[in-house]
Amino acid sequence: MARRARIVVIAWLIIAALCYGGATGAFGTPSLFTRLHQAEPFVPSESHDAADILAHAPDAGPSILLRVDGVRAQDPAVLTAGKDLQQKLAATPDVHLVRSPFLAPQAAKTPQTAALFAQNREDSFLIVATIKDDLPQSRRMDIARDLENTTKTAFSSIPAAQVSLGGSVTFLHDITAQIQRDLAIGEGLALPLSLVVMVFVFGGFLAAGIPIIGALAAIAGGLASLWGFSYVTELDATVVNITTLLGLALCIDYGLLIVSRYREEIRRIAPDVAHDDIDHDHLVEAAAHTVATAGRTVLFSAVIVAISLAGLTVFPAPVIRAVGLAGVTVVLVALVVALTLVPALCMLGGRRLVRRRTDDSPDDGMFARLARAVGKSFIAVVVVTTAVLLAAAWPLMSMRQVSSSSDLLPAENTQRQFFDALGRDYPLVLEPTAVVLARATPEQLTAYGAETVAKLPGVTSIDPVRRVDDQHVALGVRAKDANVDNGQGRRLVEELRAHRPAYQTWVSGGDARLLDYLEAIESRAPLAAGIVALATIILMFLMTGSLALPIKALLFNVLSLGASLGILTWIFQGGHLESMLGFTSAGGVESVTPVIMLAFGFGLAMDYELFLLSRVVELHEQGYDDARAVELGVQRSGRIITSAALLILIVLAGLGIAKMLIVKQIGIGLAVSVVLDATLVRMLLVPATMHLLGRWNWWAPAPMRRWYERHGITH
């Protein structure tokens, strides 16, 4: 990379331009953001099979809801305009079904139209249009706006009539638009603030700018990889924010480590040479040794982060697998950028990177003094920090997981407000608490509903049986008081599954899908954790030659992540800090948040662990005793870890200020994890336990030790 620096940089400029162009649709292809989806997490299960059958019913499809307020459907002028409107809406291209009060004589309330009348007011009614399922999002929104304009025109002669637009089509549009705004704000905040911090860390714009340039290239590669994945699997809209911003954070971290070590290597190779007199061979040698040391750390870190994210592919939920696959790709892009583009940029910066002759890391500084203080009271430090982390983890014991829909959007969003009002005024339009799908006749399912379902605890009403297709019928079951706090919806699902009729049935609905999802995640969690733990132990052993260090790192990560999830539960489930953080509690934590946060949080924690351990191991191999190796390792890596943590916090702030609830939860949860890990764990608990274990830090069974001496990956 150093010998061909200009070629490498030019190649990356071309690659980044192509990646940005492809992902944003600049070359005439569909952009990434037009190919995103939004759906609650699910797993292959009884509830999903039922939902799939219901979704493919002849009358199913993306919905457009037109709410008319201020007039009565039975008024003569409204009735006349409404019947004409019904015909116009039904004749609209790509609309295959329209339901309205005007299908009934004199817009009367019938079993088929009752759901379209507001329950608590007489001057409001609803029109529901279903469109074809295979239309692109842009066409769907065009139809929605056309139907809205047609409806407004139909009632334009009635001054009191007010028309509002909602439904799954506009909801997905607002979700995607919010994702784009959040991503633009997040990156717009993260990049300039990161540059300011790195100017302070490096003492100059040139050194600070190199990781930022690398991060921009990584973002381009990450967006292009996500765009490619969108043709292979459905990508949830939130995946883009999470993976690109965390890829950005990793790339800045890796760039920080590479640039810092490059400056250190130049000063080591040419200690008494003025920066103008440093020759080309010195610069090439510095780049080679930088990649052999810091680059080795970056390689191990990226592979471990990628493995932690690859663990997500074990889970059966498509949205979790998509995050895992996309995350692995983005991490690998960050790795390639760190090992190719960043060293090439360092080479081009060359002598100017060391124009300031101050030493970035003196051996007797603040972090060395901290390490000595910890070494003097290591038992007390271990006890106190462990107690603090366990106390922070306590709320995790009462975590409730939810799967929100419109609650994901901010309270001021018009679609959020539309659906909130819809739930109050038109509860029968919303999905019931549970849906029983049966391979039976309408008469059989009606009898089952009256004789069995109506008598189950918590059931408040039963919808009329409706035919789904020529083989299936469905029955909606409602529990008026069901919410995330009392768990009544889950109990209803369990009761329905325990009291089945003689013919085949499926129990679905939001609570059923969430229940099946959580059970599947819990069943696969040990396998995912085992794969990640085994791979981490093997890789860290290859790096350190110790079995004790990777096991200790895993235990500390469990402690740190448990504390982070506990604080996350306290904030978002308990509704604490709502006004400060700008959210409204949904009564629990979004169901995909814990899994994603554990995977990304584990990867970020291993970043700091390897930044610290790589220096300690290097010093230990140079012959320093354990106490001095820890002291110097903490001193030489402390500034990097602190700066890296601050930079990641800035990037995570881009997630934390997002309006999308799930993105905000992941951003704030990971920010808490970074703070705990970079302070209590890496600066206190790890040095304290290394003092406590002494020579046992380097323990490994004799056969493994001999194998490491022959085959271990050393610089």
Side-chain angles (χ1 to χ4, degrees):
M1 298 303 110
R3 289 172 181 158
R4 298 168 179 82
R6 286 184 175 82
I7 296 175
V8 172
V9 172
I10 292 171
W12 265 109
L13 286 174
I14 296 172
I15 292 171
L18 292 174
C19 288
Y20 273 121
T24 58
F27 303 136
T29 55
S31 75
L32 167 64
F33 294 100
T34 63
R35 299 188 54 77
L36 299 178
H37 300 266
Q38 197 283 324
E40 65 181 357
F42 70 88
V43 294
S45 61
E46 170 188 348
S47 60
H48 177 62
D49 291 342
D52 192 53
I53 293 172
L54 292 168
H56 288 87
D59 61 349
S63 63
I64 298 171
L65 306 182
L66 298 158
R67 176 171 176 166
V68 183
D69 292 308
V71 294
R72 296 175 71 252
Q74 299 85 355
D75 291 344
V78 177
L79 187 60
T80 301
K83 289 182 177 180
D84 182 58
L85 173 65
Q86 171 75 33
Q87 295 177 352
K88 290 181 178 179
L89 296 181
T92 303
D94 295 323
V95 174
H96 71 77
L97 179 66
V98 176
R99 293 187 295 126
S100 79
F102 308 107
L103 290 173
Q106 304 304 313
K109 288 186 180 180
T110 67
Q112 290 74 30
T113 63
L116 303 177
F117 290 91
Q119 285 197 351
N120 52 2
R121 52 188 295 184
E122 294 183 355
D123 63 340
S124 181
F125 60 87
L126 202 65
I127 300 171
V128 181
T130 305
I131 64 176
K132 294 180 180 178
D133 192 34
D134 57 351
L135 302 174
Q137 178 63 15
S138 58
R139 172 59 184 154
R140 295 181 184 188
M141 280 304 299
D142 288 341
I143 296 173
R145 295 188 183 101
D146 288 345
L147 297 186
E148 181 185 23
N149 292 332
T150 302
T151 304
K152 287 181 177 179
T153 301
F155 297 115
S156 60
S157 61
I158 307 174
Q162 298 176 347
V163 179
S164 54
L165 176 68
S168 64
V169 170
T170 51
F171 176 66
L172 177 58
H173 173 268
D174 278 24
I175 287 280
T176 304
Q178 189 63 59
I179 288 290
Q180 289 180 275
R181 286 193 295 270
D182 287 345
L183 185 61
I185 293 172
E187 292 181 358
L189 172 71
L191 289 173
L193 286 181
S194 298
L195 179 60
V196 170
V197 171
M198 282 191 288
V199 167
F200 176 78
V201 171
F202 288 123
F205 277 100
L206 180 62
I210 290 175
I212 296 295
I213 294 172
L216 289 171
I219 292 173
L223 289 174
S225 66
L226 291 173
W227 178 64
F229 268 118
S230 71
Y231 286 90
V232 179
T233 183
E234 288 191 357
L235 283 183
D236 189 82
T238 57
V239 173
V240 178
N241 289 60
I242 296 166
T243 54
T244 55
L245 284 176
L246 287 173
L248 166 64
L250 287 175
C251 197
I252 290 177
D253 269 6
Y254 296 158
L256 174 67
L257 186 65
I258 295 289
V259 174
S260 297
R261 189 61 184 254
Y262 183 73
R263 297 173 78 182
E264 183 181 328
E265 289 300 324
I266 290 177
R267 290 166 183 152
R268 182 187 63 82
I269 294 168
D272 300 319
V273 179
H275 73 274
D276 290 334
D277 296 330
I278 298 174
D279 62 31
H280 182 268
D281 290 340
H282 286 152
L283 298 176
V284 173
E285 183 183 350
H289 204 268
T290 295
V291 176
T293 53
R296 174 174 172 265
T297 302
V298 167
L299 174 63
F300 274 98
S301 172
V303 171
I304 290 177
V305 173
I307 288 173
S308 70
L309 296 178
L312 295 176
T313 62
V314 172
F315 295 105
V319 64
I320 299 295
R321 289 205 303 267
V323 172
L325 290 171
V328 168
T329 305
V330 171
V331 170
L332 295 180
V333 170
L335 170 64
V336 173
V337 168
L339 296 184
T340 59
L341 178 59
V342 174
L345 290 171
C346 287
M347 185 66 190
L348 294 181
R351 302 170 184 86
R352 288 172 291 174
L353 290 177
V354 289
R355 183 169 294 168
R356 296 183 62 192
R357 301 300 296 172
T358 56
D359 192 343
D360 281 350
S361 183
D363 286 344
D364 188 17
M366 177 181 68
F367 293 103
R369 292 191 293 272
L370 175 62
R372 283 196 296 270
V374 169
K376 293 177 182 177
S377 307
F378 56 84
I379 294 179
V381 171
V382 171
V383 172
V384 172
T385 53
T386 302
V388 169
L389 292 172
L390 289 174
W394 181 253
L396 178 59
M397 304 300 293
S398 59
M399 175 188 282
R400 293 188 298 270
Q401 297 187 52
V402 299
S403 181
S404 303
S405 54
S406 60
D407 288 347
L408 293 174
L409 290 167
E412 66 272 16
N413 179 271
T414 55
Q415 285 302 295
R416 166 76 179 271
Q417 295 169 356
F418 181 93
F419 278 99
D420 287 347
L422 196 71
R424 293 192 302 269
D425 300 335
Y426 297 89
L428 296 180
V429 171
L430 300 181
E431 184 182 46
T433 309
V435 177
V436 179
L437 180 71
R439 194 187 299 272
T441 65
E443 293 75 18
Q444 286 177 309
L445 192 57
T446 299
Y448 168 68
E451 297 169 5
T452 303
V453 177
K455 300 175 183 179
L456 295 178
V459 175
T460 55
S461 66
I462 298 176
D463 295 349
V465 172
R466 66 183 181 91
R467 180 167 289 283
V468 176
D469 52 37
D470 56 0
Q471 296 186 52
H472 302 93
V473 288
L475 176 73
V477 185
R478 299 181 185 272
K480 183 178 180 181
D481 299 324
N483 56 57
V484 295
D485 294 324
N486 59 31
Q488 193 167 312
R490 176 170 179 162
R491 288 194 295 272
L492 176 58
V493 171
E494 293 170 343
E495 288 285 344
L496 288 170
R497 290 177 174 176
H499 297 82
R500 297 182 189 270
Y503 44 85
Q504 184 179 12
T505 61
W506 300 260
V507 179
S508 188
D511 288 291
R513 292 190 294 271
L514 179 60
L515 176 62
D516 291 343
Y517 166 83
L518 293 177
E519 288 179 349
I521 294 297
E522 290 172 5
S523 68
R524 293 291 186 92
L527 175 61
I531 291 173
V532 173
L534 179 62
T536 300
I537 289 173
I538 292 173
L539 285 168
M540 287 191 67
F541 171 75
L542 290 174
M543 178 181 177
T544 65
S546 166
L547 191 58
L549 290 177
I551 292 175
K552 184 162 63 73
L554 289 173
L555 293 175
F556 289 168
N557 283 357
V558 170
L559 194 59
S560 174
L561 291 171
S564 304
L565 284 172
I567 294 173
L568 181 79
T569 303
W570 180 80
I571 293 174
F572 286 97
Q573 181 172 300
H576 299 96
L577 309 180
E578 278 186 330
S579 58
M580 179 185 297
L581 298 177
F583 73 96
T584 302
S585 176
V589 176
E590 292 300 319
S591 56
V592 300
T593 298
V595 178
I596 293 175
M597 186 177 148
L598 287 172
F600 280 101
F602 181 86
L604 293 175
M606 291 309 301
D607 248 5
Y608 304 133
E609 180 75 11
L610 294 180
F611 284 6
L612 174 59
L613 283 184
S614 63
R615 274 307 179 95
V616 174
V617 170
E618 188 178 331
L619 291 162
H620 182 264
E621 291 174 350
Q622 292 173 7
Y624 287 93
D625 62 50
D626 294 325
R628 184 60 175 164
V630 171
E631 181 182 318
L632 288 178
V634 171
Q635 172 60 28
R636 295 181 183 180
S637 64
R639 188 179 184 187
I640 297 298
I641 291 175
T642 304
S643 301
L646 180 57
L647 291 168
I648 283 190
L649 285 175
I650 290 172
V651 174
L652 292 175
L655 296 176
I657 64 174
K659 298 292 187 179
M660 284 284 291
L661 181 60
I662 185 173
V663 177
K664 183 184 289 290
Q665 285 186 2
I666 292 172
I668 291 175
L670 288 175
V672 171
S673 176
V674 167
V675 170
L676 293 178
D677 209 85
T679 55
L680 294 181
V681 177
R682 302 307 152 198
M683 292 294 102
L684 296 176
L685 192 56
V686 170
T689 53
M690 293 196 78
H691 280 289
L692 178 65
L693 293 177
R695 62 186 180 86
W696 290 102
N697 284 302
W698 316 106
W699 176 84
M704 293 181 67
R705 192 69 193 176
R706 289 192 295 270
W707 188 94
Y708 172 78
E709 290 171 356
R710 291 194 300 270
H711 306 291
I713 303 175
T714 58
H715 59 80

